[in-house]
Every structure is written in structure tokens, then in C-alpha cells.
PDB file of all heavy atoms in Angstrom:
ATOM      1  N   ALA A 295      11.916  40.090 -43.345  1.00 41.00           N
ATOM      2  CA  ALA A 295      11.930  41.549 -43.209  1.00 41.00           C
ATOM      3  C   ALA A 295      10.788  42.043 -42.338  1.00 41.00           C
ATOM      4  O   ALA A 295      10.950  42.937 -41.513  1.00 41.00           O
ATOM      5  CB  ALA A 295      11.859  42.193 -44.594  1.00 41.00           C
ATOM      6  N   VAL A 296       9.607  41.428 -42.542  1.00 43.00           N
ATOM      7  CA  VAL A 296       8.454  41.798 -41.718  1.00 43.00           C
ATOM      8  C   VAL A 296       8.719  41.476 -40.261  1.00 43.00           C
ATOM      9  O   VAL A 296       8.484  42.281 -39.354  1.00 43.00           O
ATOM     10  CB  VAL A 296       7.188  41.055 -42.217  1.00 43.00           C
ATOM     11  CG1 VAL A 296       6.072  41.190 -41.194  1.00 43.00           C
ATOM     12  CG2 VAL A 296       6.746  41.610 -43.554  1.00 43.00           C
ATOM     13  N   THR A 297       9.254  40.272 -40.009  1.00 44.00           N
ATOM     14  CA  THR A 297       9.542  39.860 -38.639  1.00 44.00           C
ATOM     15  C   THR A 297      10.542  40.803 -38.000  1.00 44.00           C
ATOM     16  O   THR A 297      10.402  41.218 -36.847  1.00 44.00           O
ATOM     17  CB  THR A 297      10.076  38.418 -38.624  1.00 44.00           C
ATOM     18  OG1 THR A 297       9.118  37.563 -39.223  1.00 44.00           O
ATOM     19  CG2 THR A 297      10.340  37.958 -37.192  1.00 44.00           C
ATOM     20  N   LEU A 298      11.581  41.181 -38.778  1.00 38.00           N
ATOM     21  CA  LEU A 298      12.591  42.097 -38.264  1.00 38.00           C
ATOM     22  C   LEU A 298      11.980  43.446 -37.917  1.00 38.00           C
ATOM     23  O   LEU A 298      12.242  44.023 -36.860  1.00 38.00           O
ATOM     24  CB  LEU A 298      13.709  42.265 -39.290  1.00 38.00           C
ATOM     25  CG  LEU A 298      14.872  43.201 -38.882  1.00 38.00           C
ATOM     26  CD1 LEU A 298      15.581  42.628 -37.657  1.00 38.00           C
ATOM     27  CD2 LEU A 298      15.840  43.351 -40.043  1.00 38.00           C
ATOM     28  N   ALA A 299      11.109  43.937 -38.814  1.00 42.00           N
ATOM     29  CA  ALA A 299      10.485  45.250 -38.576  1.00 42.00           C
ATOM     30  C   ALA A 299       9.613  45.236 -37.341  1.00 42.00           C
ATOM     31  O   ALA A 299       9.548  46.202 -36.593  1.00 42.00           O
ATOM     32  CB  ALA A 299       9.670  45.657 -39.799  1.00 42.00           C
ATOM     33  N   LEU A 300       8.928  44.095 -37.117  1.00 44.00           N
ATOM     34  CA  LEU A 300       7.998  44.024 -35.994  1.00 44.00           C
ATOM     35  C   LEU A 300       8.692  43.755 -34.669  1.00 44.00           C
ATOM     36  O   LEU A 300       8.123  43.989 -33.618  1.00 44.00           O
ATOM     37  CB  LEU A 300       6.947  42.941 -36.248  1.00 44.00           C
ATOM     38  CG  LEU A 300       5.992  43.200 -37.412  1.00 44.00           C
ATOM     39  CD1 LEU A 300       5.008  42.040 -37.547  1.00 44.00           C
ATOM     40  CD2 LEU A 300       5.247  44.499 -37.234  1.00 44.00           C
ATOM     41  N   THR A 301       9.909  43.222 -34.703  1.00 41.00           N
ATOM     42  CA  THR A 301      10.603  42.910 -33.466  1.00 41.00           C
ATOM     43  C   THR A 301      11.673  43.930 -33.120  1.00 41.00           C
ATOM     44  O   THR A 301      11.895  44.243 -31.959  1.00 41.00           O
ATOM     45  CB  THR A 301      11.241  41.510 -33.543  1.00 41.00           C
ATOM     46  OG1 THR A 301      12.103  41.456 -34.687  1.00 41.00           O
ATOM     47  CG2 THR A 301      10.172  40.439 -33.674  1.00 41.00           C
ATOM     48  N   ALA A 302      12.297  44.485 -34.145  1.00 38.00           N
ATOM     49  CA  ALA A 302      13.355  45.457 -33.881  1.00 38.00           C
ATOM     50  C   ALA A 302      12.815  46.675 -33.155  1.00 38.00           C
ATOM     51  O   ALA A 302      13.482  47.257 -32.306  1.00 38.00           O
ATOM     52  CB  ALA A 302      14.017  45.877 -35.189  1.00 38.00           C
ATOM     53  N   ALA A 303      11.570  47.036 -33.478  1.00 38.00           N
ATOM     54  CA  ALA A 303      10.992  48.232 -32.863  1.00 38.00           C
ATOM     55  C   ALA A 303      10.857  48.092 -31.362  1.00 38.00           C
ATOM     56  O   ALA A 303      10.791  49.076 -30.642  1.00 38.00           O
ATOM     57  CB  ALA A 303       9.629  48.537 -33.486  1.00 38.00           C
ATOM     58  N   SER A 304      10.781  46.836 -30.861  1.00 40.00           N
ATOM     59  CA  SER A 304      10.587  46.642 -29.429  1.00 40.00           C
ATOM     60  C   SER A 304      11.788  47.107 -28.613  1.00 40.00           C
ATOM     61  O   SER A 304      11.702  47.228 -27.404  1.00 40.00           O
ATOM     62  CB  SER A 304      10.302  45.160 -29.144  1.00 40.00           C
ATOM     63  OG  SER A 304      11.423  44.375 -29.485  1.00 40.00           O
ATOM     64  N   THR A 305      12.919  47.364 -29.261  1.00 41.00           N
ATOM     65  CA  THR A 305      14.084  47.857 -28.543  1.00 41.00           C
ATOM     66  C   THR A 305      14.134  49.381 -28.513  1.00 41.00           C
ATOM     67  O   THR A 305      15.002  49.960 -27.888  1.00 41.00           O
ATOM     68  CB  THR A 305      15.376  47.323 -29.203  1.00 41.00           C
ATOM     69  OG1 THR A 305      15.475  47.843 -30.527  1.00 41.00           O
ATOM     70  CG2 THR A 305      15.357  45.799 -29.263  1.00 41.00           C
ATOM     71  N   TRP A 306      13.219  50.031 -29.205  1.00 44.00           N
ATOM     72  CA  TRP A 306      13.208  51.489 -29.262  1.00 44.00           C
ATOM     73  C   TRP A 306      12.460  52.033 -28.051  1.00 44.00           C
ATOM     74  O   TRP A 306      11.321  51.681 -27.794  1.00 44.00           O
ATOM     75  CB  TRP A 306      12.517  51.964 -30.541  1.00 44.00           C
ATOM     76  CG  TRP A 306      13.336  51.737 -31.777  1.00 44.00           C
ATOM     77  CD1 TRP A 306      13.817  50.551 -32.240  1.00 44.00           C
ATOM     78  CD2 TRP A 306      13.760  52.729 -32.711  1.00 44.00           C
ATOM     79  NE1 TRP A 306      14.515  50.732 -33.386  1.00 44.00           N
ATOM     80  CE2 TRP A 306      14.498  52.076 -33.723  1.00 44.00           C
ATOM     81  CE3 TRP A 306      13.588  54.109 -32.803  1.00 44.00           C
ATOM     82  CZ2 TRP A 306      15.060  52.724 -34.793  1.00 44.00           C
ATOM     83  CZ3 TRP A 306      14.144  54.768 -33.876  1.00 44.00           C
ATOM     84  CH2 TRP A 306      14.883  54.082 -34.856  1.00 44.00           C
ATOM     85  N   ALA A 307      13.081  52.907 -27.321  1.00 55.00           N
ATOM     86  CA  ALA A 307      12.446  53.452 -26.127  1.00 55.00           C
ATOM     87  C   ALA A 307      12.032  54.903 -26.292  1.00 55.00           C
ATOM     88  O   ALA A 307      11.291  55.425 -25.490  1.00 55.00           O
ATOM     89  CB  ALA A 307      13.393  53.316 -24.931  1.00 55.00           C
ATOM     90  N   GLU A 308      12.551  55.586 -27.340  1.00 65.00           N
ATOM     91  CA  GLU A 308      12.221  56.999 -27.498  1.00 65.00           C
ATOM     92  C   GLU A 308      10.775  57.158 -27.972  1.00 65.00           C
ATOM     93  O   GLU A 308      10.156  56.202 -28.418  1.00 65.00           O
ATOM     94  CB  GLU A 308      13.173  57.673 -28.496  1.00 65.00           C
ATOM     95  CG  GLU A 308      13.009  57.215 -29.929  1.00 65.00           C
ATOM     96  CD  GLU A 308      13.945  56.090 -30.303  1.00 65.00           C
ATOM     97  OE1 GLU A 308      14.428  55.390 -29.394  1.00 65.00           O
ATOM     98  OE2 GLU A 308      14.184  55.914 -31.507  1.00 65.00           O
ATOM     99  N   PRO A 309      10.229  58.366 -27.871  1.00 76.00           N
ATOM    100  CA  PRO A 309       8.853  58.598 -28.322  1.00 76.00           C
ATOM    101  C   PRO A 309       8.663  58.153 -29.770  1.00 76.00           C
ATOM    102  O   PRO A 309       9.556  58.281 -30.604  1.00 76.00           O
ATOM    103  CB  PRO A 309       8.688  60.112 -28.179  1.00 76.00           C
ATOM    104  CG  PRO A 309       9.653  60.482 -27.104  1.00 76.00           C
ATOM    105  CD  PRO A 309      10.832  59.569 -27.283  1.00 76.00           C
ATOM    106  N   LEU A 310       7.475  57.646 -30.036  1.00 90.00           N
ATOM    107  CA  LEU A 310       7.194  57.102 -31.367  1.00 90.00           C
ATOM    108  C   LEU A 310       6.982  58.245 -32.360  1.00 90.00           C
ATOM    109  O   LEU A 310       6.044  59.024 -32.223  1.00 90.00           O
ATOM    110  CB  LEU A 310       5.958  56.210 -31.307  1.00 90.00           C
ATOM    111  CG  LEU A 310       6.145  54.882 -30.575  1.00 90.00           C
ATOM    112  CD1 LEU A 310       4.801  54.294 -30.163  1.00 90.00           C
ATOM    113  CD2 LEU A 310       6.904  53.891 -31.446  1.00 90.00           C
ATOM    114  N   SER A 311       7.845  58.330 -33.352  1.00 95.00           N
ATOM    115  CA  SER A 311       7.686  59.326 -34.402  1.00 95.00           C
ATOM    116  C   SER A 311       6.724  58.805 -35.458  1.00 95.00           C
ATOM    117  O   SER A 311       6.449  57.598 -35.531  1.00 95.00           O
ATOM    118  CB  SER A 311       9.037  59.627 -35.052  1.00 95.00           C
ATOM    119  OG  SER A 311       9.520  58.481 -35.738  1.00 95.00           O
ATOM    120  N   GLU A 312       6.221  59.710 -36.289  1.00 96.00           N
ATOM    121  CA  GLU A 312       5.343  59.272 -37.374  1.00 96.00           C
ATOM    122  C   GLU A 312       6.069  58.302 -38.288  1.00 96.00           C
ATOM    123  O   GLU A 312       5.490  57.305 -38.741  1.00 96.00           O
ATOM    124  CB  GLU A 312       4.855  60.491 -38.165  1.00 96.00           C
ATOM    125  CG  GLU A 312       3.879  61.363 -37.401  1.00 96.00           C
ATOM    126  CD  GLU A 312       3.364  62.522 -38.229  1.00 96.00           C
ATOM    127  OE1 GLU A 312       3.581  62.509 -39.472  1.00 96.00           O
ATOM    128  OE2 GLU A 312       2.745  63.435 -37.660  1.00 96.00           O
ATOM    129  N   ALA A 313       7.316  58.550 -38.547  1.00 96.00           N
ATOM    130  CA  ALA A 313       8.075  57.659 -39.420  1.00 96.00           C
ATOM    131  C   ALA A 313       8.205  56.276 -38.815  1.00 96.00           C
ATOM    132  O   ALA A 313       8.078  55.259 -39.519  1.00 96.00           O
ATOM    133  CB  ALA A 313       9.458  58.258 -39.685  1.00 96.00           C
ATOM    134  N   LYS A 314       8.440  56.228 -37.497  1.00 96.00           N
ATOM    135  CA  LYS A 314       8.597  54.922 -36.849  1.00 96.00           C
ATOM    136  C   LYS A 314       7.268  54.167 -36.841  1.00 96.00           C
ATOM    137  O   LYS A 314       7.227  52.951 -37.050  1.00 96.00           O
ATOM    138  CB  LYS A 314       9.120  55.109 -35.422  1.00 96.00           C
ATOM    139  CG  LYS A 314       9.678  53.827 -34.823  1.00 96.00           C
ATOM    140  CD  LYS A 314      10.870  53.374 -35.636  1.00 96.00           C
ATOM    141  CE  LYS A 314      11.290  51.960 -35.255  1.00 96.00           C
ATOM    142  NZ  LYS A 314      12.374  51.476 -36.143  1.00 96.00           N
ATOM    143  N   ILE A 315       6.172  54.883 -36.577  1.00 98.00           N
ATOM    144  CA  ILE A 315       4.863  54.233 -36.579  1.00 98.00           C
ATOM    145  C   ILE A 315       4.563  53.671 -37.971  1.00 98.00           C
ATOM    146  O   ILE A 315       4.064  52.549 -38.108  1.00 98.00           O
ATOM    147  CB  ILE A 315       3.764  55.221 -36.134  1.00 98.00           C
ATOM    148  CG1 ILE A 315       3.979  55.611 -34.672  1.00 98.00           C
ATOM    149  CG2 ILE A 315       2.379  54.601 -36.318  1.00 98.00           C
ATOM    150  CD1 ILE A 315       3.059  56.708 -34.185  1.00 98.00           C
ATOM    151  N   ARG A 316       4.883  54.438 -39.009  1.00 97.00           N
ATOM    152  CA  ARG A 316       4.642  53.947 -40.375  1.00 97.00           C
ATOM    153  C   ARG A 316       5.493  52.715 -40.670  1.00 97.00           C
ATOM    154  O   ARG A 316       5.043  51.778 -41.322  1.00 97.00           O
ATOM    155  CB  ARG A 316       4.931  55.052 -41.385  1.00 97.00           C
ATOM    156  CG  ARG A 316       3.888  56.150 -41.404  1.00 97.00           C
ATOM    157  CD  ARG A 316       3.965  57.012 -42.659  1.00 97.00           C
ATOM    158  NE  ARG A 316       2.884  57.996 -42.634  1.00 97.00           N
ATOM    159  CZ  ARG A 316       3.016  59.229 -42.166  1.00 97.00           C
ATOM    160  NH1 ARG A 316       4.183  59.633 -41.697  1.00 97.00           N
ATOM    161  NH2 ARG A 316       1.994  60.062 -42.159  1.00 97.00           N
ATOM    162  N   GLU A 317       6.730  52.735 -40.178  1.00 97.00           N
ATOM    163  CA  GLU A 317       7.605  51.582 -40.393  1.00 97.00           C
ATOM    164  C   GLU A 317       7.035  50.333 -39.728  1.00 97.00           C
ATOM    165  O   GLU A 317       7.007  49.254 -40.319  1.00 97.00           O
ATOM    166  CB  GLU A 317       8.996  51.884 -39.839  1.00 97.00           C
ATOM    167  CG  GLU A 317       9.966  50.714 -39.963  1.00 97.00           C
ATOM    168  CD  GLU A 317      11.286  50.993 -39.256  1.00 97.00           C
ATOM    169  OE1 GLU A 317      11.597  52.176 -38.999  1.00 97.00           O
ATOM    170  OE2 GLU A 317      11.998  50.025 -38.958  1.00 97.00           O
ATOM    171  N   ILE A 318       6.567  50.496 -38.498  1.00 97.00           N
ATOM    172  CA  ILE A 318       6.051  49.348 -37.749  1.00 97.00           C
ATOM    173  C   ILE A 318       4.736  48.851 -38.341  1.00 97.00           C
ATOM    174  O   ILE A 318       4.570  47.667 -38.639  1.00 97.00           O
ATOM    175  CB  ILE A 318       5.853  49.727 -36.268  1.00 97.00           C
ATOM    176  CG1 ILE A 318       7.209  49.986 -35.606  1.00 97.00           C
ATOM    177  CG2 ILE A 318       5.102  48.618 -35.524  1.00 97.00           C
ATOM    178  CD1 ILE A 318       7.110  50.597 -34.216  1.00 97.00           C
ATOM    179  N   THR A 319       3.778  49.760 -38.512  1.00 98.00           N
ATOM    180  CA  THR A 319       2.449  49.335 -38.965  1.00 98.00           C
ATOM    181  C   THR A 319       2.439  48.963 -40.440  1.00 98.00           C
ATOM    182  O   THR A 319       1.583  48.195 -40.883  1.00 98.00           O
ATOM    183  CB  THR A 319       1.415  50.441 -38.712  1.00 98.00           C
ATOM    184  OG1 THR A 319       1.789  51.625 -39.430  1.00 98.00           O
ATOM    185  CG2 THR A 319       1.319  50.750 -37.230  1.00 98.00           C
ATOM    186  N   GLY A 320       3.380  49.487 -41.197  1.00 98.00           N
ATOM    187  CA  GLY A 320       3.446  49.148 -42.615  1.00 98.00           C
ATOM    188  C   GLY A 320       3.740  47.688 -42.870  1.00 98.00           C
ATOM    189  O   GLY A 320       3.474  47.168 -43.958  1.00 98.00           O
ATOM    190  N   GLY A 321       4.300  46.997 -41.875  1.00 97.00           N
ATOM    191  CA  GLY A 321       4.598  45.579 -42.038  1.00 97.00           C
ATOM    192  C   GLY A 321       3.470  44.645 -41.670  1.00 97.00           C
ATOM    193  O   GLY A 321       3.632  43.417 -41.750  1.00 97.00           O
ATOM    194  N   VAL A 322       2.319  45.196 -41.255  1.00 98.00           N
ATOM    195  CA  VAL A 322       1.198  44.349 -40.849  1.00 98.00           C
ATOM    196  C   VAL A 322       0.354  44.000 -42.066  1.00 98.00           C
ATOM    197  O   VAL A 322      -0.260  44.865 -42.693  1.00 98.00           O
ATOM    198  CB  VAL A 322       0.328  45.041 -39.784  1.00 98.00           C
ATOM    199  CG1 VAL A 322      -0.869  44.164 -39.424  1.00 98.00           C
ATOM    200  CG2 VAL A 322       1.153  45.351 -38.546  1.00 98.00           C
ATOM    201  N   ASP A 323       0.355  42.731 -42.435  1.00 98.00           N
ATOM    202  CA  ASP A 323      -0.443  42.241 -43.550  1.00 98.00           C
ATOM    203  C   ASP A 323      -0.794  40.785 -43.279  1.00 98.00           C
ATOM    204  O   ASP A 323      -0.611  40.292 -42.148  1.00 98.00           O
ATOM    205  CB  ASP A 323       0.293  42.420 -44.882  1.00 98.00           C
ATOM    206  CG  ASP A 323       1.628  41.670 -44.931  1.00 98.00           C
ATOM    207  OD1 ASP A 323       1.943  40.908 -43.989  1.00 98.00           O
ATOM    208  OD2 ASP A 323       2.368  41.841 -45.917  1.00 98.00           O
TER     209      ASP A 323
END
């Protein structure tokens, strides 16, 4: 799940929303 969260975001091109940033950074441990 962590790997998916950290790699799936790389396909997003729209501006980074607060929700998206939380989703991405929340997986860093």
C-alpha cells in the first residue's frame, strides 16, 4: 500500500492539493 501510494502519485499532473500531499507524505515511515 505504501509503495502504491508513493508511485501512483507520480502519474498525477494537476496541482497538488492538501489532500493529495497528505496522502503522499502520510506513507513515509
Side-chain angles (χ1 to χ4, degrees):
V296 168
T297 302
L298 181 63
L300 294 180
T301 56
S304 64
T305 64
W306 288 58
E308 68 266 22
L310 289 161
S311 66
E312 290 183 13
K314 196 63 191 175
I315 294 173
R316 287 197 177 94
E317 178 187 341
I318 293 170
T319 60
V322 177
D323 60 6

